[in-house]
Each structure stands twice: as structure tokens, then as C-alpha cells.
């Protein structure tokens, strides 16, 4: 899953996670407050696995920024909102909440006590199951500016072949 060295912008990869992962069957566990889509549970579960791989149980020390990168976005929630906009239908309040990709990042941040910036970026295209070079570039800027000590970059894509996610916990170059 690791991005080739020329795309890491000199950053150190402290931990990695991927969904689906070898030996993991089925979808990620449900996420309270999120409905109609597997996107947000996938983000939260992949983030959890990556952070645990480096820190153990919550909280995470230091300032960790969260960065979500996706070309597809949460297609299932978008479809649910579209269906609910049909005549005679009502849109559930959870759909409004979870339609913002930062909602799940706020959940992860609160669970882990993360104090860095929270950002979501839209990609022109993505390779499912890989953290894109653009995420490494953006993470490098956050670290360079001193906005965070670490960056958790999560890439999620919903495809006809199934939902896929990858996460990396990044730190600045070795000193």
C-alpha cells in the first residue's frame, strides 16, 4: 500500500492500515450517528486501525491532523439524499449531518483526542486502496507549516468492485 518514495515528499510513514484487509471479512462495524452508507464507518475503522498500530489505545499524544482524500466521495449518502428529495419523501436529519465529509473526521478526532487541523480534499482521480500523492503533498504542507506533529491521511473510494480505504500516519522527514 505504501506510495513510492518519490511521492512521499520525504515524509516518514509511522503506521499504515487498509480495508479490506487480509483476514477481515465483511463491512466495518456500524458507526453511531451515521446511516445509509458504509463510507463513514469505513473511514473511522481504517483511521482506528492506523492510529492503534502506532499509538495503541486512544488518546493519541501530540498534534495530529486529519486528512481525508477521495475522488468518489460518499456515493451512498449522496444517493440517499437524492432519493429523499423526491416528492413525498422526507430527508432524515442524519443525512444532512453526514453529507459533510468532515463529520466523520470530527468523530475520529474526538475519539482520539486529536488537536490538529481537519481537512477533506476531492481528487480528480484515485487508485482505490492507495493513499494518493496529493495527500502526501498536502500532509507535507501541514507539517512544514507547523500545524501538526503528525498527519493521518485516509483515502476512501466507493467503487462497483467494493469500498476500499487506505490510511497512513505521517511525520516529517528524519532530522
Amino acid at each position: 500500500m505504501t506510495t513510492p518514495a518519490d511521492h512521499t515528499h520525504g515524509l516518514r510513514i509511522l503506521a499504515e492500515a487498509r480495508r479490506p484487509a487480509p483476514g477481515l471479512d465483511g463491512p466495518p462495524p456500524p458507526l453511531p450517528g451515521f446511516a445509509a452508507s458504509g463510507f463513514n464507518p469505513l473511514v473511522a475503522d481504517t483511521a482506528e486501525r492506523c492510529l492503534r498500530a502506532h499509538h495503541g489505545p486512544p488518546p493519541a499524544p501530540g498534534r495530529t491532523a486529519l486528512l481525508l482524500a477521495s475522488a468518489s466521495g460518499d456515493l451512498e449518502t449522496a444517493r440517499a439524499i437524492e432519493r429523499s428529495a423526491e416528492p413525498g419523501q422526507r430527508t432524515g436529519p442524519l443525512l444532512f449531518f453526514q453529507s459533510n465529509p468532515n463529520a466523520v473526521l470530527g468523530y475520529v478526532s474526538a475519539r482520539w483526542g486529536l488537536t490538529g487541523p481537519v481537512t477533506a480534499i476531492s481528487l480528480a482521480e484515485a487508485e482505490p486502496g492507495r493513499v494518493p500523492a496529493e495527500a502526501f503533498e498536502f500532509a507535507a504542507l501541514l507539517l512544514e507549516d507547523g500545524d501538526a506533529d503528525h498527519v493521518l491521511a485516509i483515502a476512501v473510494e466507493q467503487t462497483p468492485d467494493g469500498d476500499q480505504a487506505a490510511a497512513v500516519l505521517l511525520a516529517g522527514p528524519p532530522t
Side-chain angles (χ1 to χ4, degrees), residues 39 69-75 121-127 155-158:
F39 185 90
S70 181
S72 68
D74 185 352
L75 296 175
I121 60 173
S122 178
L123 306 168
E125 60 183 62
E127 183 180 338
V156 179
E157 296 303 327
Q158 292 187 309

Side-chain angles (χ1 to χ4, degrees), residues 47-66:
E48 176 88 12
R49 291 174 185 280
C50 190
L51 289 167
R52 277 188 182 276
H54 184 72
H55 295 296
R63 297 173 305 141
T64 300
L66 286 168

Side-chain angles (χ1 to χ4, degrees), residues 41-144:
L42 186 61
V43 170
D45 188 61
T46 307
E48 176 88 12
R49 291 174 185 280
C50 190
L51 289 167
R52 277 188 182 276
H54 184 72
H55 295 296
R63 297 173 305 141
T64 300
L66 286 168
L67 171 62
L68 175 62
S70 181
S72 68
D74 185 352
L75 296 175
E76 293 172 14
T77 295
R79 287 185 197 114
I81 290 171
E82 186 177 301
R83 285 190 302 273
S84 72
E86 294 174 1
Q89 300 295 318
R90 284 188 57 185
T91 303
L94 286 179
L95 291 179
F96 286 116
F97 165 73
Q98 77 183 37
S99 66
N100 176 345
N102 283 349
V104 71
L105 297 179
Y107 172 88
V108 172
S109 181
R111 172 160 168 62
W112 280 86
L114 305 179
T115 59
V118 173
T119 306
I121 60 173
S122 178
L123 306 168
E125 60 183 62
E127 183 180 338
R130 295 184 68 84
V131 175
E134 293 95 328
F136 282 86
E137 184 178 334
F138 198 91
L141 292 172
L142 289 169
L143 293 165
E144 216 174 274

